[in-house]
Amino acid sequence: MQSTNADMPARSLQPKPDSLFERVAWFYALCREYLFRDHTEEISHALFPPNGPRPGTRLLELGCGPGFYACRLSEEFPELRTTGVDLSETLIRRAESRAAARHLSNCSFQHADAHSLPHPSQSIDAIVVSRLFLIVPDKEGIVREIFRVLKPTGRVFVAEPTSGFRTRLPLAVMWLLARLTTSPAGKYREPQQADVMSHPDFTRLMKSQPWSAIDVHYDGWYQYAVCERGDGV
Ligand SMILES: C[S@@+](CC[C@H](N)C(=O)[O-])C[C@H]1O[C@@H](n2cnc3c(N)ncnc32)[C@H](O)[C@@H]1O
């Protein structure tokens, strides 16, 4: 017997909540460009040998937003094959325009969820994650996915802000802008407040997978983790 709409669970009829990053992408792109710290040098140092990545090195940027790091790294290291992954299609389009304006042929973007990446296990050499854990529902699930897709020699660089005020302000402004520009008020999947992790919570999160090597450290504004996958035993 064919199922009818009446048989469908009510949950599937609910519209999915929108994304703030979709709604006010322009504002986040401005913050990324002019407000947030640029960690390109630290990323290169943590992920690549001193003479640069080997030709064909596969790099993912998870939650790439407007493609800041994906483009910068692809420009600096033409031997990379970079993919930026994000849930916001508007930000992906911005990232694609950014890459096109720089004539980058080694940089592409993909609409996907970092909780369930469309990449095969052990297929990726390097991953960059900047300012993503602040706003996702299942942080451990994402660390699990990072571990799954990395090759045994693969490394991940994570940078997460530590400053509550400086981090929460941009998100609060995004909520305000979204409310001022939508009528009736929309529903958004992001939290009202960014979840700035304490150092112990961040360390616990990053140690939730059996890395062969892990370095967790922090400075005034950010906490960082650099992890190498190893064989996972
Ligand atoms: C705070 S921004 C960080 C952007 C960029 N990494 C940076 O350093 O500025 C978070 C980004 O993650 C994206 N995002 C949120 N949840 C996601 C998910 N589950 N999978 C992939 N991207 C996600 C948002 O659309 C947004 O572009």
Side-chain angles (χ1 to χ4, degrees):
M1 193 173 92
Q2 279 201 329
S3 73
T4 64
N5 277 353
D7 299 327
M8 304 263 284
R11 194 158 54 88
S12 65
L13 298 176
Q14 302 278 323
K16 269 195 176 167
D18 202 354
S19 164
L20 269 186
F21 288 93
E22 193 75 28
R23 179 81 213 154
V24 286
W26 62 272
F27 177 76
Y28 188 79
L30 278 180
C31 291
R32 175 62 274 180
E33 199 70 32
Y34 300 110
L35 200 61
F36 303 145
R37 199 195 288 180
D38 177 1
H39 288 112
T40 308
E41 215 177 299
E42 289 93 328
I43 294 170
S44 313
H45 182 73
L47 297 183
F48 310 133
N51 51 349
R54 281 192 315 278
T57 295
R58 287 229 50 197
L59 179 135
L60 292 184
E61 182 187 1
L62 301 187
C64 64
F68 185 80
Y69 288 123
C71 289
R72 291 215 64 171
L73 291 164
S74 303
E75 202 163 17
E76 193 165 330
F77 300 108
E79 58 273 52
L80 283 178
R81 281 164 54 219
T82 303
T83 306
V85 170
D86 204 282
L87 265 188
S88 161
E89 293 184 68
T90 307
L91 279 170
I92 295 243
R93 278 196 297 277
R94 274 186 174 259
E96 284 170 344
S97 312
R98 189 186 181 97
R102 287 164 175 74
H103 309 289
L104 298 174
S105 58
N106 59 338
C107 182
S108 60
F109 295 90
Q110 195 170 22
H111 178 236
D113 188 340
H115 295 92
S116 54
L117 292 169
H119 307 91
S121 299
Q122 303 197 10
S123 60
I124 304 294
D125 298 287
I127 298 185
V128 176
V129 188
S130 161
R131 311 177 63 94
L132 174 65
F133 289 118
L134 294 166
I135 52 156
V136 293
D138 179 9
K139 299 178 182 52
E140 282 203 17
I142 292 182
V143 177
R144 218 171 19 248
E145 274 298 85
I146 292 172
F147 189 86
R148 179 183 71 76
V149 300
L150 275 177
K151 292 179 184 172
T153 51
R155 288 185 176 188
V156 59
F157 173 96
V158 180
E160 279 290 297
T162 52
S163 161
F165 177 71
R166 274 175 59 118
T167 305
R168 287 180 182 135
L169 192 60
L171 192 65
V173 174
M174 287 171 77
W175 272 102
L176 184 66
L177 287 171
R179 287 202 174 117
L180 291 176
T181 56
T182 325
S183 178
K187 285 192 172 152
Y188 300 99
R189 61 172 165 258
E190 285 79 13
Q192 293 275 342
Q193 277 213 345
D195 180 13
V196 176
M197 278 179 278
S198 66
H199 301 314
D201 284 351
F202 180 67
T203 305
R204 241 188 319 275
L205 170 69
M206 293 315 306
K207 289 192 170 170
S208 61
Q209 290 299 310
W211 309 103
S212 65
I214 175 164
D215 171 39
V216 182
H217 57 279
Y218 58 94
D219 57 26
W221 299 109
Y222 281 84
Q223 44 200 342
Y224 309 90
V226 179
C227 313
E228 185 164 310
R229 184 188 193 279
D231 290 334
V233 287

